[in-house]
Amino acid sequence: MRALQIVFPLAAWLVVLAALVYATPAVGVVEFREVCVKAHALGLVGRGVYEVAFLARVGDGFIYLPYRVGAEEVSLSPLLINMTDAGRYVFNSHVLPPRFKNDTVICISIPLNTARPPPRAPRGGDLYQIGEAYVVVSPRQPYDPPPSPVIGPKPSSVPIKKVGVVEAAGPDAEPLAAASTAVRTISGGFKTRAASNTTVAAYGMTFTTTPIDLPNGTRYIWLAFTNVTQPGSYSLYYKIYDAENNAVYFEGTVTTSVDGRSPYYSVIPIPVYQKAYNRLLKLYLAVKNNNPTPRAVDLVIVGVFDTSRHMDNRWAAGMATRYQYGFPSYVVPYDKAYAAIPIHIPPGGVHGTERVRAKLGLSICSPNAPSAVTADVYIRPIWVGSITFTYSYRDAAGCAVYTTAEGTFTGFLPTPYLLLGTTDLAVGPLPAGSRITVYELYVEGYRRPEFNRPWSPYLYSSTWLDGTFVVNSVLRVEAYPLTTGASITGMVIRISLSPIVTPSGVIPLSSGEHVITYSIYAPIVRLSPPQYAVEGRQTTLSDHLLPIVKRLNAILSALGVIIDRTARDPRGKMAYKVVTFAGKVAEGALSSAKTTVSVSSSSVNINVGWEETKNVVTVWIDIFTEGRPEVQTDVYSFKSPYATIPSELPVSSTIRGLQPLSIDNYRTWYCLYQHDLLGEACREDAFR
């Protein structure tokens, strides 16, 4: 971790300090304390974990209360095809339960001072008194942050009683449900340099020296700490103000705690739509460390914004095949384990239209196979739905065969945890003896590579195609447009082939050919030779032996002519043939020790060497086309050595060239930071 060093005017520094430490109630000062209660105490048993929100009245208005839900431990088994030692890679993790159970513990961050709300308010629900605080249990609105999981919570010793009902009434009552269906929006997470894995001194603070630009069409902003933040107490000061007239729309200070038992910690959602919608805004942040020792701080900004269509593309992650028998069956090694594949969800998905698709076959080789099996589907840790397998017949081997189960699940909202990393698409729990056949198991959505203003034609170096294919390895494909004025003149395709990494170890790639096929719907003028890198490549014994063996084989080949002409003993000729055959075998084995790459106008071939099965292979291809106002590109197949059946999960995008007028000279999701300068590389010194 790096210590933060900032040169900042003393007067401005004192203003921030005053806001964090001595802020008046007019600014909006909230100090949270977490109270943990059981679900039955709030009448929530049987309700969906994502169906509720908790609100409190502070001052004259309501604020949303972040909450965490006791996580359930699950065993995850990576979906490994044709591997006999899959059981060694099983690992334990945690997920949010689909519904509240009687003893599910809910930990709610409650302000120290709350007022009893009036009988009628813009948002309604059941009113509870938890200790001395008043909390409204309300239906969740589309832009309310979802809960985060917490490991091992214990109920607090506080009295709880229901004291009334708040009716949703008035001109502003529950406005978001209708608004969210009328406007197409995107959500994405990014960071600020000032609070990204930054060490903050004891009782010190860190703050943005250059505010973050928010586009017009910003609807909501969430602020959340990740679990990189060390346990302790922190105060977060935020201000959203008008870029044109400096009018302050939202300003406040929130004090909260991090305990190291959750993947992320929601701090505060800011409903920009209420006051500043469709304005050009700036976001200013400061974090104070309230602890007597230095602490690492890591903050995520998650936004919901109106989208435009000129840079949209479809992204996908998972595995799918059109082959009628599916991929080779996978044996779940333990009872009640979850079959899981790693997926990458890129920032910038379209809110409300993401889709999870599952089509799976199941057989159970057990005399006690149940008549039906219901399995939950997770984008870990979030539950998205369930599918049911129904008994059909027993096959010749005595295994119970079930009808193919399939389901499509939509409408989930990405969280900070999912937006900034790789997660799993998991199905389970499954009984002992289960064999899973995958036809389709993937997640997809639409993506806008940047969240600049809706009319901004800023295309330079923005990712506009993103796909992750999984078959015993993770293949990620990204494409970047090359533009000249309003014309698309080519693209850069970046391919990364990685082994699956689990807490139980690295699952090695299979050596041999991995073939990626693609189509570019424009005449290709030139295809440059590929550049590629193998992470951790080292000079090994095979590198020294290969030239020697090649020279020996050349000598043996020359000797062969002499031996054929002069040797009379058949045994001598046979011995020579054995030696030359062994030499060729040795040369072939040594030649295949290192990974090689070849490309054509429609495919990329990554031949993984047997020495490099635990390495990441990254390939860059420059493709130049005739200038077009728009170009469509498809990546539609990934064939690997693990199975003869390719993963057929197409990713497609059409990009249109636009004149560079009113360009926003920054990128955000591409770098995961707002980035000021042009150029293909994300330079840390240009991060805001």
Side-chain angles (χ1 to χ4, degrees):
M1 299 178 188
R2 62 181 187 274
L4 185 71
Q5 295 181 341
I6 294 179
V7 178
F8 201 64
L10 178 61
W13 191 93
L14 291 174
V15 170
V16 175
L17 185 62
L20 280 166
V21 182
Y22 305 109
T24 64
V27 175
V29 180
V30 177
E31 183 173 352
F32 284 126
R33 65 183 179 94
E34 191 172 70
V35 177
C36 298
V37 301
K38 291 189 175 181
H40 70 81
L42 299 178
L44 293 175
V45 176
R47 293 185 66 177
V49 168
Y50 315 104
E51 294 176 2
V52 300
F54 300 98
L55 311 172
R57 190 184 185 198
V58 178
D60 296 330
F62 278 100
I63 65 169
Y64 171 91
L65 306 182
Y67 69 103
R68 303 190 290 169
V69 177
E72 298 178 347
E73 187 174 66
V74 296
S75 293
L76 294 172
S77 178
L79 271 168
L80 303 178
I81 296 170
N82 292 339
M83 290 187 68
T84 57
D85 60 346
R88 65 178 290 193
Y89 298 109
V90 173
F91 63 97
N92 291 337
S93 186
H94 293 84
V95 295
L96 284 163
R99 298 189 177 278
F100 291 113
K101 301 174 184 177
N102 193 59
D103 290 331
T104 301
V105 177
I106 308 167
C107 295
I108 308 169
S109 295
I110 300 177
L112 294 182
N113 298 300
T114 64
R116 180 166 182 149
R120 296 161 63 87
R123 293 187 66 171
D126 294 328
L127 178 63
Y128 284 83
Q129 189 172 354
I130 303 176
E132 300 300 320
Y134 290 97
V135 174
V136 178
V137 181
S138 178
R140 180 177 181 269
Q141 289 295 309
Y143 298 147
D144 289 339
S148 59
V150 57
I151 299 173
K154 303 293 184 183
S156 308
S157 297
V158 293
I160 304 169
K161 61 180 179 180
K162 185 176 179 180
V163 294
V165 175
V166 176
E167 180 185 355
D172 298 324
E174 313 286 7
L176 291 181
S180 67
T181 59
V183 179
R184 190 180 183 195
T185 58
I186 51 176
S187 57
F190 60 99
K191 293 186 170 189
T192 174
R193 183 182 182 185
S196 175
N197 197 10
T198 298
T199 298
V200 183
Y203 303 114
M205 63 181 175
T206 179
F207 43 85
T208 51
T209 54
T210 303
I212 303 295
D213 286 317
L214 301 179
N216 62 324
T218 298
R219 292 179 170 267
Y220 237 90
I221 292 293
W222 307 341
L223 303 175
F225 289 116
T226 76
N227 63 356
V228 174
T229 304
Q230 290 180 304
S233 171
Y234 302 93
S235 294
L236 173 61
Y237 170 74
Y238 61 90
K239 181 171 72 171
I240 293 180
Y241 61 98
D242 198 298
E244 296 177 328
N245 58 25
N246 291 322
V248 177
Y249 296 109
F250 301 92
E251 185 177 24
T253 301
V254 178
T255 298
T256 189
S257 295
V258 170
D259 61 11
R261 296 185 297 153
S262 292
Y264 56 90
Y265 303 80
S266 295
V267 179
I268 191 77
I270 305 171
V272 177
Y273 76 96
Q274 290 182 344
K275 295 181 181 178
Y277 176 69
N278 219 29
R279 298 293 300 173
L280 301 182
L281 306 174
K282 289 184 178 288
L283 169 65
Y284 179 86
L285 296 170
V287 179
K288 181 175 181 290
N289 173 15
N290 298 325
N291 305 286
T293 57
R295 288 288 193 273
V297 171
D298 194 54
L299 185 75
V300 178
I301 304 162
V302 178
V304 180
F305 315 94
D306 292 351
T307 189
S308 66
R309 298 175 182 270
H310 72 263
M311 289 175 66
D312 290 342
N313 66 279
R314 191 173 74 82
W315 58 266
M319 53 195 298
T321 178
R322 298 184 183 91
Y323 183 61
Q324 62 176 327
Y325 299 112
F327 290 92
S329 64
Y330 160 78
V331 180
V332 181
Y334 300 122
D335 185 32
K336 297 182 180 179
Y338 286 68
I341 60 172
I343 56 173
H344 171 80
I345 298 180
V350 178
H351 165 58
T353 62
E354 287 86 356
R355 179 175 79 153
V356 175
R357 174 73 180 156
K359 182 179 181 182
L360 305 169
L362 174 68
S363 65
I364 301 177
C365 296
S366 168
N368 301 316
S371 59
V373 175
T374 297
D376 290 314
V377 181
Y378 284 89
I379 298 180
R380 190 164 61 94
I382 293 178
W383 180 83
V384 296
S386 61
I387 55 177
T388 298
F389 302 91
T390 304
Y391 173 82
S392 180
Y393 64 92
R394 284 196 178 267
D395 61 18
C399 299
V401 179
Y402 295 78
T403 54
T404 300
E406 56 184 307
T408 301
F409 313 103
T410 60
F412 59 89
L413 183 63
T415 67
Y417 177 58
L418 294 177
L419 286 165
L420 295 179
T422 298
T423 182
D424 297 292
L425 188 59
V427 179
L430 298 170
S434 294
R435 292 176 175 268
I436 283 283
T437 301
V438 176
Y439 299 92
E440 298 174 342
L441 186 57
Y442 64 89
V443 58
E444 68 174 346
Y446 286 90
R447 182 185 182 197
R448 183 180 172 202
E450 285 299 329
F451 84 144
N452 296 333
R453 299 177 185 123
W455 60 78
S456 171
Y458 186 49
L459 306 181
Y460 186 74
S461 294
S462 295
T463 305
W464 59 279
L465 186 149
D466 197 310
T468 305
F469 305 80
V470 183
V471 184
N472 283 28
S473 62
V474 180
L475 176 80
R476 188 175 176 196
V477 181
E478 302 167 275
Y480 310 83
L482 300 174
T483 61
T484 302
S487 293
I488 310 298
T489 56
M491 65 200 62
V492 177
I493 296 179
R494 181 183 183 274
I495 295 172
S496 176
L497 179 66
S498 309
I500 296 172
V501 180
T502 77
S504 300
V506 178
I507 302 168
L509 303 170
S510 283
S511 57
E513 290 187 338
H514 298 67
V515 182
I516 305 99
T517 53
Y518 64 90
S519 292
I520 298 172
Y521 297 95
I524 295 177
V525 176
R526 180 164 54 89
L527 179 69
S528 63
Q531 296 179 325
Y532 69 97
V534 180
E535 183 182 80
R537 169 169 281 185
Q538 298 175 347
T539 300
T540 60
L541 182 61
S542 66
D543 297 297
H544 299 293
L545 289 177
L546 182 57
I548 297 172
V549 171
K550 284 184 174 180
R551 284 197 296 270
L552 287 174
N553 284 342
I555 293 170
L556 288 172
S557 179
L559 287 174
V561 177
I562 299 173
I563 291 173
D564 282 340
R565 291 178 179 176
T566 61
R568 301 293 182 222
D569 188 350
R571 289 176 298 180
K573 288 187 175 183
M574 180 57 67
Y576 165 75
K577 290 181 179 179
V578 170
V579 172
T580 54
F581 176 75
K584 290 178 180 177
V585 170
E587 182 178 341
L590 293 171
S591 297
S592 62
K594 298 297 185 182
T595 300
T596 58
V597 173
S598 61
V599 303
S600 72
S601 60
S602 61
S603 67
V604 179
N605 186 315
I606 302 175
N607 202 320
V608 175
W610 53 264
E611 277 190 339
E612 298 177 329
T613 57
K614 291 189 176 181
N615 295 23
V616 177
V617 184
T618 305
V619 182
W620 296 268
I621 309 168
D622 294 324
I623 300 171
F624 299 93
T625 64
E626 291 184 2
R628 290 285 190 276
E630 65 178 45
V631 173
Q632 179 181 337
T633 299
D634 297 339
V635 178
Y636 56 86
S637 179
F638 169 43
K639 184 176 181 179
S640 71
Y642 317 110
T644 56
I645 305 160
S647 177
E648 295 167 329
L649 191 57
V651 184
S652 180
S653 180
T654 300
I655 190 167
R656 298 169 180 85
L658 297 170
Q659 293 293 344
L661 303 175
S662 303
I663 287 178
D664 294 316
N665 289 311
Y666 54 79
R667 298 169 296 175
T668 303
W669 287 330
Y670 175 68
C671 294
L672 283 183
Y673 298 85
Q674 196 157 96
H675 193 258
D676 287 313
L677 300 180
L678 299 176
E680 293 186 9
C682 291
R683 290 174 44 193
E684 185 175 347
D685 60 357
F687 293 160
R688 295 188 182 184

